[in-house]
Amino acid sequence: MKYCQDCGAQLKGRADKKFCDDYCRCHYNNEINRNRDQDFKKINSILKKNAGILEKLIQQGIKTSTVHLLSGAGFNFNFFTHQLQEQNGEISIYCYNYGYLKINEEQLMIKQVTHSLSSK
Ligand SMILES: [Zn+2]
């Protein structure tokens, strides 16, 4: 016995059928997209918060910080947008155009890039 993936009604007809009709198929796919968009938004807001914390430090002229201080301000180290290799080979972690380079386990150098991602 097979059931519609959207409304749960029992399905009749072809064995590979997953939905009652186009309405159920559309509704189901819209739900998936909505959930996906919500997940994107959640991650985006974490990334924006991270970037905002680093932006504030840079605006205050602060160039170094600590894992402890950033965590305290709400920085989430699990989320970042990309990594950039420095000239000396070290890897900086970025949230949009604000990032940090780990000096050691606790100390961080705050980084900012401008226009580095534009194609020309
Ligand atoms: Zn259905």
Side-chain angles (χ1 to χ4, degrees):
M1 214 62 83
K2 291 194 73 178
Y3 298 92
C4 174
Q5 287 190 19
D6 184 58
C7 72
Q10 193 178 317
L11 293 175
K12 301 184 183 91
R14 295 205 332 257
D16 61 347
K17 235 177 140 180
K18 290 177 183 167
F19 303 96
C20 301
D21 49 26
D22 285 342
Y23 174 83
C24 279
R25 183 194 310 282
C26 269
H27 185 256
Y28 181 82
N29 287 327
N30 285 344
E31 281 296 297
I32 285 178
N33 286 336
R34 209 162 57 92
N35 290 336
R36 194 197 59 174
D37 287 349
Q38 280 173 354
D39 288 343
F40 282 11
K41 269 188 197 156
K42 271 184 217 160
I43 292 171
N44 234 343
S45 74
I46 295 170
L47 290 169
K48 277 187 192 168
K49 185 171 185 182
N50 281 355
I53 290 166
L54 297 176
E55 185 183 28
K56 236 184 216 170
L57 293 175
I58 283 181
Q59 282 171 351
Q60 292 167 3
I62 297 168
K63 299 220 167 69
T64 58
S65 190
T66 65
V67 172
H68 188 78
L69 278 173
L70 288 191
S71 297
F75 195 95
N76 187 332
F77 284 91
N78 292 326
F79 291 84
F80 52 91
T81 56
H82 61 292
Q83 302 177 323
L84 288 180
Q85 190 162 19
E86 304 292 334
Q87 281 169 347
N88 62 6
E90 290 179 300
I91 306 287
S92 295
I93 310 281
Y94 280 85
C95 297
Y96 303 110
N97 51 335
Y98 296 96
Y100 63 87
L101 176 67
K102 273 199 160 186
I103 300 166
N104 55 45
E105 276 309 297
E106 178 62 12
Q107 295 214 283
L108 309 168
M109 194 184 293
I110 311 298
K111 298 267 176 181
Q112 179 182 19
V113 287
T114 45
H115 312 304
S116 74
L117 299 177
S118 58
S119 48
K120 277 274 146 63

